[in-house]
Amino acid sequence: MNAVPATASVVIVGAGPAGLTAGITLADAGVDVVLLDKVAEGANTSRAVVIHARTLEVLETLGLADTIHDQGLVVPTFVLYDGDRALTHISFAGLPTKYPYTVMIGQQHTEAILLARLEKAGGKVLRPYEVTGLTQDDTAVTLAYTAADGTAGSIRADYVIGADGMHSNIREAAGIGFTGATYPESFVLADIRMNWPDPRDKVSLHLSPEGATIVAPLPDDQNARYRVVATVAEAAEKPTLEDVQAILDARRPNSGATVREVLWSSRFRVHHRLADHYRAGRVFVAGDAAHVHSPAGGQGMNTGIQDAAFLGALLARVRAGEPDSILDTYESVRRPVAQGVVSFTDRMTRMATLSNPIAREARNLLISTITQIGAVNHKLAYELSELANR
């Protein structure tokens, strides 16, 4: 456990993808940055698995897009189903980007790539330190923390970034509200090995009155590893092979899917919430501390990485002598982006779980008809890829 210094230019609380990205951006600019995280080690499970085109563009500026590409699985197509019926194929090919696709890669690998890049830039993550208090004045912010052995200390910084997740201590201590609600359903999250009929260059979203189900291929030497995300009325705390098989049988009944192994599974509740502000004096929030939403579309981690790169660049400019007022553009630029993502994923989730047969048939007809129009299909791909957020 490395000791925490008494002062720093910027302290980042939380060393997930958003915190690491901000740290890299600042360290590259020569800013004295300290990252604190309350857990003893980084992610060791896949969690967020989708990297979209806009995020690849951001990671390219850090020299990481090729590494993500090489370690991940390129998936250029998103397919929408109702039962066994494919309603539409949304293709990322033809998007105005060097990266006309998504890359599937487990979050533990994304974090490992980001951490190695941070350390190459001269930064490091100090663990495990839990922030227990925050005070600020006109000149600096003081954070109180507790080490794993119970030792208390403090660090004073010019600015603080709270990238410490949905239950952010930094956001709460800064007095920033987190407005929104919780979906009534549980979400099942599982990494499995199975036989699946679709080619491994497609992610599928299955609409059903029982709930929405996403099936996405993951990198695997056996070509059999998949991520399943599904809404259910109530799920077991640790879904079993039988639970996942039952979901797939009900929502893609004639697929022939056979789940062979559950590698990791979890149950969670999903919120759709947005921070009322992204800045409170010298304190900022980013990533899940600023916005959480349905996993439909796989945009959460992507938006957080983009937040962090933008904020890190602004703070670097201030440390280089530009006025503090430019930091206000972080909220004015990035909060509307998150607001749009929260709204978009909420619409997708509610659309996917219609139970009225007449409403479902009308939805299916609308989707299959309008997405035949090239401009509409392109717009959906553009929105999913977050290229509109440039």
Side-chain angles (χ1 to χ4, degrees):
M1 185 171 67
N2 293 300
V4 178
T7 61
S9 293
V10 179
V11 172
I12 300 169
V13 181
L20 291 168
T21 300
I24 294 166
T25 306
L26 289 161
D28 278 353
V31 176
D32 175 25
V33 58
V34 169
L35 283 85
L36 302 177
D37 199 285
K38 67 180 181 180
V39 298
E41 59 182 16
N44 55 17
T45 55
S46 56
R47 292 188 283 180
V49 298
V50 184
I51 306 287
H52 282 298
R54 176 56 190 150
T55 307
L56 288 166
E57 291 180 345
V58 170
L59 293 172
E60 182 181 27
T61 68
L62 305 179
L64 296 176
D66 288 345
T67 304
I68 293 286
H69 175 280
D70 293 346
Q71 291 191 24
L73 177 68
V74 171
V75 178
T77 308
F78 187 91
V79 188
L80 211 57
Y81 284 90
D82 184 1
D84 296 310
R85 176 187 172 195
L87 301 177
T88 189
H89 289 66
I90 299 171
S91 174
F92 296 104
L95 289 175
T97 177
K98 183 179 175 182
Y99 308 101
Y101 46 76
T102 62
V103 174
M104 309 302 297
I105 182 171
Q107 184 172 328
Q108 76 274 37
H109 302 299
T110 301
E111 287 193 17
I113 291 166
L114 290 166
L115 178 60
R117 177 65 174 78
L118 173 71
E119 292 172 345
K120 182 179 179 182
K124 59 185 175 181
V125 179
L126 306 183
R127 308 174 180 271
Y129 292 99
E130 182 170 7
V131 173
T132 57
L134 179 155
T135 57
Q136 65 172 312
D137 53 38
D138 292 340
T139 60
V141 185
T142 300
L143 294 177
Y145 62 82
T146 303
D149 62 3
T151 304
S154 65
I155 180 171
R156 190 164 172 84
D158 296 322
Y159 298 98
V160 167
I161 300 174
D164 50 340
M166 182 179 74
H167 302 291
S168 170
N169 288 339
I170 298 301
R171 185 190 62 239
E172 185 173 340
I176 299 173
F178 203 38
T179 302
T182 306
Y183 289 105
E185 305 91 352
S186 297
F187 278 72
V188 167
L189 189 68
D191 286 358
I192 63 175
R193 285 199 176 96
M194 70 170 172
N195 300 324
W196 184 245
D198 293 352
R200 285 175 57 81
D201 62 353
K202 294 180 180 179
V203 172
S204 56
L205 171 60
H206 302 263
L207 317 179
S208 89
E210 295 82 17
T213 307
I214 298 168
V215 179
L218 294 177
D220 180 31
D221 290 341
Q222 301 176 34
N223 289 327
R225 187 168 182 152
Y226 292 85
R227 156 63 54 82
V228 173
V229 182
T231 56
V232 296
E234 194 60 52
E237 184 174 347
K238 193 175 180 63
T240 65
L241 184 152
E242 291 75 19
D243 293 330
V244 179
Q245 184 71 60
I247 288 169
L248 296 173
D249 288 346
R251 302 180 188 187
R252 183 91 173 267
N254 297 307
S255 67
T258 303
V259 181
R260 303 203 304 265
E261 182 182 5
V262 174
L263 303 166
W264 173 76
S265 70
S266 181
R267 174 199 67 190
F268 62 104
R269 295 282 183 183
V270 171
H271 302 250
H272 47 106
R273 298 182 184 275
L274 182 63
D276 295 345
H277 297 285
Y278 275 22
R279 180 183 189 182
R282 292 176 170 269
V283 178
F284 302 83
V285 289
D288 286 355
H291 45 78
V292 293
H293 49 80
S294 163
Q299 294 172 304
M301 180 180 70
N302 288 269
T303 307
I305 288 173
Q306 295 165 39
D307 288 344
F310 188 87
L311 176 58
L314 287 175
L315 285 166
R317 288 166 57 189
V318 169
R319 298 307 301 157
E322 294 192 43
D324 176 277
S325 58
I326 69 168
L327 297 173
D328 290 335
T329 62
Y330 173 55
E331 178 171 329
S332 65
V333 171
R334 292 303 305 173
R335 190 173 183 277
V337 169
Q339 197 165 28
V341 171
V342 171
S343 177
F344 177 63
T345 57
D346 184 54
R347 292 196 307 272
M348 284 184 67
T349 301
R350 297 186 187 282
M351 173 272 296
T353 55
L354 289 174
S355 57
N356 183 287
I358 296 174
R360 287 178 60 204
E361 193 55 41
R363 173 203 65 195
N364 293 351
L365 179 61
L366 178 65
I367 289 171
S368 58
T369 300
I370 67 170
T371 55
Q372 297 302 312
I373 303 170
V376 173
N377 197 294
H378 183 84
K379 185 178 187 300
L380 284 170
Y382 196 71
E383 188 159 1
L384 279 168
S385 68
E386 301 197 43
L387 290 172
N389 302 341
R390 287 170 167 156

